Amino acid sequence: MNPATSVAVILGIATLLAIVRLLWRQRRLTAEARGPRWRLVLQLIGQPALAGLLYLTMLPPPLPGKADTLVVATADATESQLRRSAGGSLVALPEAPPLPSAVRVPDLATALRQRPGTSGLRVVGAGLVGRDQDAAGALPVDFVAADLPRGIVQLASPAQVPAGGAFAVHGRANGVPGGRVELRDPAGLRVDAQSLPASGRFQLAGSVRVPGTVQFSLQLLDAAGGRVEQLAVPVWIAQTRPPRVLVLAGAAGPELKYLRRWIADADMQADARIGIGGGVQLRSGPASLTAADLGQLDVVILDARAWSGLGAGQRQALLEAVRGGLGVLLRADTAPDAALRADLRRLGFQLRQAGREVGTAAVASPRPDLGEATASASAAPGAAQPPAQASKSPDVSYRKLGLAGLDAAPLLNAQGGQLLAVWRAHGRGRVGLWTPLDSFRLVLAGHPDLHAQMWSRALAILARPGQALATVDAHAWPGERITLCGLTGPAQVAAPDGQPTSLVPDPRAGHCAGYWPRQPGWHQLAHAGGAQPFHVHQAAQGRALKAAGQALATRQLAMFAGAAGSRPPAETVPARRGRAWPWLLGLLACAAALWWLERARLHLPDPAAR
């Protein structure tokens, strides 16, 4: 029973007792002393009226809520923007500039608690910081964005780079026409540079060698060569284990020769079983494909004849290993027979052509965004400069299997756009179908980098996945909350000064936890899944990047709120408590009237006349 019901029950019982008292008293009086009947009727009506007024005084009825839009001023908000956004209450968050017409609030949650009738938000300026984004909740958000500052507003780089590998840096600069970006290594030497186009987008590449954490720098220069901004580009160089590879081939050939040479140059652990005719095989590694042997491998590369030569039990063991995470690359070096086509259909490859025809095409670089510097790094880890490319890469032959339209992801494309290789997921592993027949011609024509890229990308996609990394926000600043997800078990972050902070992951939210860094520099995250570093920018760096991130997050809030529905009607707004003083005045007036009615001798016989 809630308080309102309890009060109503008590007042009802009191009213009933008062009515019974009046009737009992009236019955005991003589006929001459009772007076006119209308006096008793008014007294009986006054009892519930008095109880009702007392109830309304104690619990006044709520007033209907009034829908209102809250105008929120954030960083870089201007008076002109606020004048155009008039029509609601105006509050200013701590990041907002001085605004005489705005009420200062410590955060958005406080402003919403003070204004329960708020039905929507109009955010003006740079956008909501992480502290206030959750407070917006499901309210509709209208974002009036300020112009982005001059500088780098987008920046993306890989969280982890293998030792001896290459990496790419993508981004966009704002407000620097005719400018230039430069990527410099920790020693300050220029690694790559690019003039900015009209869109401001850029792509730079670099390479790394020994494991550890290093900090490259990205410099933004204006048209006159003056430095506009400098940002840190942190790179974690991980010591990764080379994938363990098994090569199965029905016959030797130049394609297999140069593939095995690349595997050896890449320092991979590789075994092979190669048929040389007459039932004789050249073999290194396990003699059979047992579940235990396949569990030690990361990827198996085999051609069509090797697949056909496997027994039913070995094929079944191979597919079971794929479901457990193993990667398989099937080279269609011959036209697939009926049995192989049936196996491919079971794996999800519905081929459109029989594969008896052979075409030619120029192989597109699997990493066009990294440029020549990355190509040279893939071909020869640690090389400082790319080799000169004096000739166009030759066309390679491929078997026409009708890969276009398959429910599969591209693994290798030709420059014309046709698919040369595809892959599909099979359980926890992946199966790839490879149609090029003579990619070794790239090496013979002086393009070992392209040959290395295409095979490196194929094995990186298909190989058994390694240790899953925790997901950390790409950019962080001191005092700003960041989110760390994918944490397993207890987690802890060590700051650059060694001070540890324990995290409490939420299993209902993707095992994520929040962290507020206090210092810039490299931090160490340790949890049951392993350890990994992440970087926090200097507080004074990346003002344009931070503003762009806030604007993007606020736009996403506005987009999701708009998709959820329109602004709620006024009747759905929480009601406000009504005023009690009018009911108190009525209570006093009714009580006074009943008192006078009971005490007055009007229309009653005079006792002195008896």
Side-chain angles (χ1 to χ4, degrees):
M1 186 179 296
N2 55 43
T5 305
S6 301
V7 171
V9 169
I10 294 173
L11 291 178
I13 295 174
T15 302
L16 183 61
L17 293 176
I19 293 175
V20 171
R21 171 185 169 274
L22 280 175
L23 293 175
W24 178 258
R25 180 173 176 272
Q26 188 74 5
R27 183 180 179 84
R28 294 183 60 187
L29 293 176
T30 62
E32 295 79 8
R34 289 176 184 173
R37 188 176 297 273
W38 59 266
R39 289 172 59 96
L40 177 61
V41 173
L42 289 179
Q43 288 178 344
L44 291 176
I45 294 175
Q47 304 307 313
L50 191 65
L53 290 171
L54 178 59
Y55 178 85
L56 294 175
T57 302
M58 299 172 63
L59 300 170
L63 299 177
K66 179 183 178 182
D68 191 15
T69 299
L70 181 63
V71 181
V72 183
T74 62
D76 299 330
T78 62
E79 288 284 357
S80 61
Q81 288 178 320
L82 294 173
R83 282 194 297 270
R84 290 195 299 268
S85 303
S89 303
L90 176 60
V91 296
L93 296 176
E95 299 81 17
L99 299 169
S101 58
V103 178
R104 285 280 168 179
V105 291
D107 51 46
L108 180 59
T110 301
L112 292 177
R113 285 194 299 270
Q114 294 173 350
R115 296 160 180 82
T118 300
S119 61
L121 299 176
R122 184 174 296 119
V123 181
V124 180
L128 299 175
V129 299
R131 175 199 65 219
D132 300 315
Q133 291 169 9
D134 293 340
L139 289 174
V141 177
D142 181 19
F143 183 34
V144 182
D147 294 334
L148 290 178
R150 186 173 182 235
I152 298 173
V153 294
Q154 292 180 8
L155 182 64
S157 59
Q160 178 184 7
V161 179
F167 66 95
V169 179
H170 306 258
R172 182 170 70 89
N174 178 63
V176 191
R180 181 179 178 84
V181 287
E182 295 182 352
L183 181 66
R184 295 182 176 271
D185 63 13
L189 300 178
R190 189 173 64 185
V191 175
D192 199 0
Q194 177 189 331
S195 297
L196 289 174
S199 63
R201 299 192 176 276
F202 58 87
Q203 301 175 0
L204 302 175
S207 59
V208 291
R209 297 186 180 182
V210 298
T213 56
V214 297
Q215 185 172 303
F216 286 70
S217 63
L218 184 66
Q219 295 187 3
L220 175 62
L221 309 177
D222 57 20
R227 182 188 297 176
V228 177
E229 189 177 21
Q230 177 172 321
L231 275 178
V233 181
V235 179
W236 173 30
I237 311 166
Q239 181 63 62
T240 57
R241 177 185 57 81
R244 294 159 296 189
V245 183
L246 174 62
V247 180
L248 304 177
E255 180 74 353
L256 182 62
K257 171 185 174 181
Y258 282 92
L259 172 59
R260 295 185 66 197
R261 177 177 294 179
W262 171 77
I263 291 174
D265 291 342
D267 198 25
M268 298 182 188
Q269 305 176 30
D271 295 320
R273 287 167 50 183
I274 304 172
I276 57 175
V280 180
Q281 286 186 337
L282 297 177
R283 185 179 73 240
S284 63
S288 61
L289 298 181
T290 64
D293 295 331
L294 293 173
Q296 301 298 319
L297 299 173
D298 295 313
V299 63
V300 174
I301 304 174
L302 71 166
D303 56 26
R305 282 173 287 188
W307 177 274
S308 301
L310 296 177
Q314 289 184 319
R315 281 199 291 268
Q316 183 63 29
L318 185 61
L319 293 180
E320 287 295 331
V322 173
R323 294 187 187 96
L326 178 69
V328 169
L329 180 62
L330 179 60
R331 295 173 45 232
D333 58 336
T334 62
D337 56 18
L340 179 54
R341 293 179 70 87
D343 291 337
L344 290 175
R345 281 195 299 272
R346 282 192 289 271
L347 292 172
F349 296 104
Q350 298 285 346
L351 302 182
R352 272 45 173 195
Q353 300 181 31
R356 297 186 180 90
E357 298 182 9
V358 175
T360 59
V363 176
S365 173
R367 298 177 182 175
D369 56 332
L370 299 186
E372 294 180 351
T374 302
S376 67
S378 299
Q385 296 294 334
Q389 304 294 340
S391 61
K392 179 180 177 292
S393 62
D395 292 349
V396 298
S397 303
Y398 69 96
R399 192 163 298 280
K400 293 184 177 181
L401 296 176
L403 301 183
L406 288 182
D407 183 18
L411 189 59
L412 181 66
N413 292 85
Q415 291 182 3
Q418 62 266 41
L419 289 172
L420 302 181
V422 294
W423 67 269
R424 293 187 85 257
H426 188 68
R428 296 175 57 192
R430 295 175 176 181
V431 179
L433 184 58
W434 187 268
T435 64
L437 303 175
D438 52 6
S439 63
F440 68 90
R441 296 180 60 195
L442 298 173
V443 182
L444 298 180
H447 294 271
D449 55 327
L450 185 55
H451 180 267
Q453 284 185 60
M454 56 188 287
W455 283 106
S456 176
R457 183 175 186 270
L459 265 64
I461 291 176
L462 297 176
R464 188 188 301 272
Q467 174 186 328
L469 297 177
T471 304
V472 185
D473 289 348
H475 302 288
W477 287 268
E480 298 282 345
R481 184 190 68 179
I482 62 174
T483 304
L484 303 93
C485 291
L487 306 176
T488 55
Q492 190 177 75
V493 173
D497 61 357
Q499 181 68 29
T501 301
S502 297
L503 305 179
V504 183
D506 186 356
R508 296 171 298 179
H511 295 276
C512 296
Y515 176 67
W516 282 261
R518 298 182 300 274
Q519 307 171 25
W522 285 100
H523 293 61
Q524 292 292 330
L525 169 64
H527 60 112
Q532 66 184 82
F534 65 91
H535 187 267
V536 177
H537 290 290
Q538 297 281 346
Q541 283 189 349
R543 179 176 177 269
L545 186 62
K546 183 189 296 186
Q550 293 178 9
L552 177 61
T554 308
R555 286 193 183 94
Q556 290 175 342
L557 284 175
M559 178 177 63
F560 293 149
S566 59
R567 179 171 300 177
E571 55 267 20
T572 65
V573 179
R576 297 177 290 116
R577 187 177 186 272
R579 296 177 179 179
W581 66 266
W583 305 107
L584 177 60
L585 293 180
L587 174 65
L588 295 176
C590 183
L594 288 177
W595 178 86
W596 176 84
L597 192 61
E598 186 173 354
R599 295 292 186 269
R601 304 299 301 172
L602 185 65
H603 297 290
L604 289 179
D606 187 3
R610 293 184 180 181

